[in-house]
Amino acid sequence: MPSTATDSLTIVNPANGATLARVAADGPRAVRDKYARARAAQPAWGALPQKRRLDAIAAFRAQVVERMDELARTLTLEVGKPIRQSRNELNGLLARLDFFLGATAKALRDEKVHEDAGMEERISHEPLGVVANISAWNYPYFVGSNVFVPALLAGNAVLYKPSEYATLTGQHIADMLHAAGVPLDVFVPVVGGGATGAALLRQPVDGVFFTGSHATGARIAAAAGRAMIKAQLELGGKDPIYVCEDVDVKAAAAAVADGAFYNTGQSCCSVERVYVHASIHDAFLDAFVAEVRGFAIGDPMDEKTYIGAITRRAQVDVLKRQVADAKRKGARVLLGGKPIAGKGNWFAPTVLAHVDHTMSVMRDESFGPIIGIQPVADDDDAVTLMNDTEYGLTAGVYTTDEARARRILAKVDAGSVYWNCCDRVSPRLPWSGVKHSGLGLTLSTYGIQAFTRPKAWHLRSA
Ligand code: NAD
């Protein structure tokens, strides 16, 4: 686990506790200097023809392709993500870069919205200026690139603080962007933990783009409110799936188990609650447990591994507390239920039945390989339970009936909704949360324009 001292970080492999590196962290003075450099460098970057910025991101993409194996290894070593899933993340990054490279020119084009009797009205998209990108560790390439790529393309300078749990990956990102032609003072890594992030927000930045927990997000929102700057917050979730009685039970169980346990359950859009129509509940539980029993747990560097380490040690305690609370209130542990002994941070894939909404496991973000499965009487019951949460990131339904799926999903309060799929993000669609899942959005053309300020031009020619 990284130490929280403000002057250095110790990077530890969560799979075995070995120290990987010691890295200098930025204190308040270093953060101030980096901010000043970024402020000075931004106007020239913003004034470049857009093509130059697109070329730099295309060159960054080429670096990712060239260094793929090394990048995947570093990611797996520092966050405990299974190596195949690290490569999947990097391939997903390439697809996001392709989207941004293809969509930016159109999204940021000046627009004439009116012309009449010598009066022309236009909208241009101006960069915000210097933005802070404070990031999470669980998908550092995804959650980082959703922000720094469109921010740079729109002409901003970016002060990028990777999570203290993904510092080495953050350094790779900075090295690749600089090698690709983004000036050192335009993309500036800021290294450290929460204290460094707080110091960054004491600088007069023009916007803060945050990915992380609701608790930290609330602090960021307060700081941004005082400074009167734009804040975007991509926060946690307690994402539900409803499985209707008309599905192929085995196939649905396999798909939902993958949605719950991929990335060792450490995804903002992991399936965190499952509701199953009572008529297939027992058959679904059997199929689900059989599926999870087959997941390979082990060395994240092993190509066969599907369940890796828990990145943050503190999360193991959260999972232990959720299991104990659920058992005390009547839940049955069908599989797992405890940490795996040995070096590093591990928790056995856990399936809980006989759960209800009095239990923390059905209310609070678990962010680990654990799931509660609850029967429901009908669609109305399912919708009521799906919406009974402080969060609203994603929600999904499995059914063979599209009209029924659309009816249910229309009533669900979430940023993204899924029919017969889950744990899915598309660069073409906006990524956002409602309630405690966040504010603002990334991805899609809206997520490119989010890094600009629309400027209104009133032009009278006569
Ligand atoms: P976290 O809130 O602990 O940390 C996030 C970032 O904030 C880190 O870089 C951290 O150093 C920094 N930070 C901590 N305290 C700060 C402060 N006072 N001021 C400024 N910065 C501060 O979250 P995490 O553990 O890195 O990430 C896990 C959380 O992120 C989960 O809740 C997950 O659901 C959420 N998440 C959301 C999305 C999404 O798209 N909605 C994506 C990935 C992760």
Side-chain angles (χ1 to χ4, degrees):
M1 185 169 51
S3 82
T4 50
T6 48
D7 54 352
S8 78
L9 283 177
T10 304
I11 316 292
V12 170
N13 182 339
N16 58 20
T19 296
L20 294 169
R22 289 204 171 75
V23 178
D26 289 318
R29 181 186 301 220
V31 172
R32 217 168 35 241
D33 290 350
K34 288 185 171 187
Y35 164 78
R37 280 166 36 204
R39 178 60 74 192
Q42 186 275 325
W45 176 250
L48 286 177
Q50 188 183 69
K51 168 91 171 54
R52 294 273 301 278
R53 294 191 293 269
L54 286 165
D55 287 347
I57 296 302
F60 170 69
R61 187 193 189 285
Q63 295 260 324
V64 174
V65 172
E66 197 181 306
R67 294 179 57 180
M68 174 86 69
D69 286 341
E70 175 203 359
L71 303 176
R73 267 198 314 279
T74 301
L75 180 56
T76 289
L77 283 173
E78 74 175 334
V79 307
K81 190 189 292 265
I83 188 77
R84 267 190 301 140
Q85 298 177 17
S86 290
R87 277 201 300 274
N88 288 349
E89 181 175 346
L90 286 156
N91 281 311
L93 168 67
L94 298 181
R96 288 187 192 197
L97 294 174
D98 288 340
F99 167 75
F100 286 126
L101 289 168
T104 296
K106 188 161 172 233
L108 299 187
R109 190 170 293 154
D110 277 17
E111 201 185 342
K112 188 199 287 185
V113 290
H114 184 73
E115 189 167 24
D116 182 33
M119 174 61 90
E120 182 181 321
E121 297 175 358
R122 300 185 71 87
I123 301 170
S124 67
H125 296 281
E126 308 296 324
L128 294 171
V130 177
V131 299
N133 173 192
I134 299 179
S135 207
W137 50 264
N138 63 323
Y139 276 105
Y141 286 105
F142 282 167
V143 299
S145 65
N146 289 357
V147 172
F148 64 71
V149 172
L152 289 170
L153 287 174
N156 298 282
V158 179
L159 292 161
Y160 167 63
K161 200 198 82 59
S163 164
E164 57 272 43
Y165 294 91
T167 302
L168 303 178
T169 291
Q171 288 179 337
H172 283 326
I173 288 172
D175 289 347
M176 290 188 291
L177 282 167
H178 296 151
V182 178
L184 292 177
D185 292 347
V186 167
F187 183 81
V188 187
V190 176
V191 177
T196 303
L200 177 53
L201 289 185
R202 286 196 293 275
Q203 304 309 309
V205 292
D206 300 300
V208 54
F209 295 81
F210 172 78
T211 309
S213 62
H214 172 261
T216 312
R219 268 183 233 128
I220 305 273
R226 278 192 300 275
M228 293 262 185
I229 55 168
K230 175 167 185 165
Q232 282 207 172
L233 309 167
E234 305 215 332
L235 310 178
K238 192 69 196 168
D239 297 359
I241 288 290
Y242 169 36
V243 183
C244 298
E245 71 290 352
D246 58 0
V247 298
D248 173 336
V249 170
K250 199 162 175 297
V256 176
D258 185 47
F261 289 90
Y262 189 83
N263 210 38
T264 315
Q266 300 174 111
S267 311
C268 52
C269 53
S270 286
V271 176
E272 289 243 344
R273 303 177 279 150
V274 183
Y275 305 101
V276 183
H277 196 278
S279 62
I280 58 159
H281 175 256
D282 292 355
F284 183 87
L285 274 187
D286 289 346
F288 194 93
V289 168
E291 184 69 24
V292 178
R293 223 187 267 287
F295 289 156
I297 308 165
D299 179 1
M301 280 297 185
D302 189 328
E303 290 289 335
K304 291 191 291 297
T305 295
Y306 178 83
I307 298 280
I310 305 296
T311 309
R312 295 168 61 250
R313 177 172 280 289
Q315 206 62 25
V316 174
D317 297 325
V318 170
L319 300 174
K320 271 162 60 179
R321 279 199 299 274
Q322 289 196 340
V323 172
D325 168 75
K327 278 165 76 174
R328 206 169 41 246
K329 291 172 180 164
R332 278 183 47 210
V333 181
L334 300 185
L335 204 64
K338 44 182 184 296
I340 299 171
K343 287 186 183 155
N345 316 325
W346 294 86
F347 204 86
T350 297
V351 182
L352 299 168
H354 293 243
V355 293
D356 62 42
H357 278 211
T358 66
M359 300 173 185
S360 167
V361 73
M362 297 302 274
R363 304 201 72 84
D364 305 316
E365 190 177 46
S366 304
F367 225 61
I370 172 172
I371 193 79
I373 301 178
Q374 181 172 347
V376 290
D378 54 30
D379 296 357
D380 287 345
D381 193 15
V383 168
T384 302
L385 287 168
M386 288 164 96
N387 283 335
D388 179 26
T389 172
E390 288 176 332
Y391 291 104
L393 192 59
T394 82
V397 58
Y398 281 74
T399 171
T400 51
D401 181 343
E402 180 175 354
R404 181 178 178 187
R406 285 176 178 273
R407 259 195 322 273
I408 292 165
L409 295 177
K411 293 183 200 157
V412 171
D413 211 6
S416 297
V417 292
Y418 304 122
W419 176 40
N420 290 340
C421 56
C422 57
D423 189 25
R424 180 177 194 277
V425 181
S426 163
R428 295 168 293 277
L429 293 172
W431 184 247
S432 69
V434 298
K435 299 193 272 185
H436 282 188
S437 290
L439 209 63
L441 57 83
T442 51
L443 298 176
S444 79
T445 50
Y446 297 106
I448 298 172
Q449 292 169 345
F451 297 91
T452 64
R453 182 171 50 81
K455 187 167 182 174
W457 298 73
H458 306 243
L459 304 170
R460 186 184 291 288
S461 60

